[in-house]
Amino acid sequence: MKAAVFYEYNAPLKIEEIDLDKPKRGEVLVKVAASGVCHSDLSVMNGTLPFPSPPAVLGHEGAGIVEEVGSDVTAVKPGDHVILSWRPSCGKCGYCVTGRPQLCQTIGMALLQGYLPDGSSRLHKGGTEIKHFTGVSSFAEYAVVPEAGIVKIRRDVPLEAAALVGCGVMTGVGAVINTAKVEPGSSVAVIGCGGVGLNAVQGAVLAGADKIIAIDLNPRKLELAKQFGATHFVNPKEGDPVTQVLGLTDGLGVDYAFEVIGRADTAVQAYNSIRPGGTAVVVGVAKPDDMMMIPALSLLQEKTLKGSIYGSARPSVDMPRLLELYMNKKLKLDELVSRRIKLEEINAAFEWMEKGEVARSVIMY
Ligand code: PAD
Ligand code: ZN
Ligand code: ZN
């Protein structure tokens, strides 16, 4: 099959034919229909997001059609339409049974090493092993994934829209609705309005937030944020963003702020933008050695600083729900797709992302 293979840090992915083994017990072979290109893929390629070592097939925002199932698979059958979840969970541990599967430590360990849950890979080229990424690896025509990473969806949803729910939409909307639990009438600031941040903006709309302040260096992203429901706009090029947010909120700050870039300084901005009793949520993935400093005394104002992974998703419940909202025209997915591309154009998609030219590029297989 054709795949984009990550061989070297800070170098383009190589498009080539590689081999994919059949699904083993508890695994599913999916014909990938579409894959979004997320900043986290780029973060692996430039070393921001730790990964054991290349070669690997990246891509973690995919959807497709089940082609074949391994033994003991009961959740899906060939022909089912599915989203690939990059955070499969065991269903049995303390986190899973208390409704926080995004924190499950059981299956995730093998996946972090670049393998499927049994600790081995189905991807190779000749005698060389190629690693998986988060058990998804959607930068390839087919993927063998763990059954626990499969979310069955209704068949009438376009698979390119479904793919986006697999990461950016779930992460952004989920950070607002699941992690922060924003209440109607709240004020919200979203720092970074890219593929994920725009979904935090529309998550705030869904939650009934009143004031939604979009913050981005790129005026085009602020335009998009307006389309997604932001009510106020801040460009840090026009002055300190925290001061601008305070100016828009009676000098007190917002109830909720979301950092959706992946930098320590903007995470501090998010914290400094919230009012006493407010909550700052860090969604962006910073480098492991990036440190943030906040005044310890400020916590006395009952401020909360927390992180959010995968929008605190319960994939089998939340993803079909998001698709219902889309089908009922209450969630924008088509508007997120700036470009539909071929797998061969993937390296250009990373350049467009870095230049801020796209909300999302989506590979159509
Ligand atoms: P993106 O590149 O599409 O968007 C980033 C946006 O930030 C762009 O619009 C930039 O213009 C803007 N920006 C950059 N620097 C600044 C700045 N200093 N001030 C204001 N705006 C700025 O990325 P994305 O939306 O795909 O991903 C965003 C982050 O979220 C990234 O770190 C990614 O790794 C992370 C992520 N986290 C999770 C999770 O589970 N926590 C999941 C998916 C992605
Ligand atoms: Zn992602
Ligand atoms: Zn678990």
Side-chain angles (χ1 to χ4, degrees):
M1 65 165 181
K2 198 163 37 169
V5 186
F6 163 52
Y7 279 106
E8 222 184 304
Y9 285 97
N10 299 305
L13 302 180
K14 191 170 171 204
I15 315 296
E16 61 180 2
E17 290 290 324
I18 63 168
D19 306 309
L20 179 67
D21 298 336
K22 282 188 159 291
K24 293 192 176 171
R25 180 168 169 259
E27 296 171 0
V28 178
L29 171 68
V30 175
K31 186 174 197 317
V32 184
S35 174
V37 179
C38 173
H39 207 112
S40 300
D41 299 304
L42 181 62
S43 296
V44 173
M45 292 161 63
N46 64 26
T48 299
L49 191 60
F51 185 78
S53 65
V57 174
L58 305 177
H60 63 281
E61 193 175 83
I65 300 176
V66 173
E67 181 103 350
E68 191 182 329
V69 298
S71 58
D72 295 348
V73 169
T74 53
V76 285
K77 55 181 188 321
D80 283 344
H81 290 207
V82 296
I83 292 177
L84 307 178
S85 154
W86 56 256
R87 194 83 196 174
S89 55
C90 75
K92 294 177 192 142
C93 73
Y95 286 120
C96 284
V97 298
T98 54
R100 303 175 84 191
Q102 78 277 16
L103 300 178
C104 176
Q105 307 289 309
T106 316
I107 295 187
M109 292 305 107
L111 298 187
L112 285 176
Q113 297 309 310
Y115 295 116
L116 292 183
D118 77 347
S120 67
S121 174
R122 304 291 158 268
L123 298 162
H124 51 97
K125 186 175 172 69
T128 308
E129 175 190 270
I130 296 175
K131 293 192 178 76
H132 294 253
F133 179 52
T134 66
V136 175
S137 294
S138 55
F139 292 165
E141 293 172 314
Y142 290 86
V144 170
V145 303
E147 179 181 18
I150 285 273
V151 179
K152 189 173 160 180
I153 57 167
R154 51 191 272 190
R155 282 178 186 227
D156 53 349
V157 179
L159 286 165
E160 69 171 55
L164 298 177
V165 171
C167 183
V169 179
M170 186 67 253
T171 299
V173 175
V176 174
I177 294 195
N178 292 340
T179 313
K181 298 190 170 65
V182 167
E183 305 96 356
S186 322
S187 52
V188 169
V190 177
I191 310 184
C193 299
V196 181
L198 288 170
N199 286 296
V201 169
Q202 67 172 338
V205 174
L206 279 173
D210 180 32
K211 197 171 272 182
I212 304 174
I213 307 173
I215 304 166
D216 204 292
L217 291 167
N218 183 336
R220 264 190 280 179
K221 294 299 174 64
L222 294 177
E223 270 303 314
L224 271 172
K226 188 171 187 182
Q227 213 184 315
F228 278 77
T231 58
H232 295 73
F233 307 90
V234 164
N235 190 328
K237 285 184 183 157
E238 289 160 12
D240 175 45
V242 174
T243 310
Q244 294 190 67
V245 170
L246 296 183
L248 290 168
T249 49
D250 309 325
L252 272 179
V254 286
D255 296 307
Y256 297 93
F258 297 86
E259 194 277 351
V260 204
I261 300 167
R263 300 170 56 105
D265 60 346
T266 44
V268 172
Q269 287 169 10
Y271 181 79
N272 288 337
S273 297
I274 55 172
R275 63 177 65 210
T279 300
V281 180
V282 175
V283 179
V285 180
K287 293 196 188 84
D289 57 355
D290 273 349
M291 299 294 156
M292 59 185 288
M293 264 217 281
I294 54 167
L297 181 66
S298 66
L299 287 164
L300 246 56
Q301 297 185 317
E302 300 200 350
K303 288 182 165 195
T304 301
L305 173 63
K306 66 195 300 192
S308 175
I309 183 156
Y310 215 175
S312 309
R314 297 127 331 150
S316 58
V317 177
D318 292 333
M319 291 182 180
R321 247 186 216 175
L322 289 169
L323 292 178
E324 289 297 318
L325 288 168
Y326 163 71
M327 295 302 272
N328 293 325
K329 307 226 173 316
K330 292 175 182 161
L331 187 76
K332 295 185 191 347
L333 298 182
D334 301 327
E335 293 81 351
L336 286 168
V337 183
S338 310
R339 297 207 195 197
R340 290 171 185 80
I341 62 168
K342 295 199 181 98
L343 183 62
E344 286 78 3
E345 294 171 279
I346 188 163
N347 293 303
F350 288 118
E351 280 169 32
W352 301 327
M353 175 186 282
E354 282 192 295
K355 285 193 199 141
E357 288 175 9
V358 290
R360 270 293 193 257
S361 302
V362 179
I363 303 161
M364 306 295 300
Y365 291 99

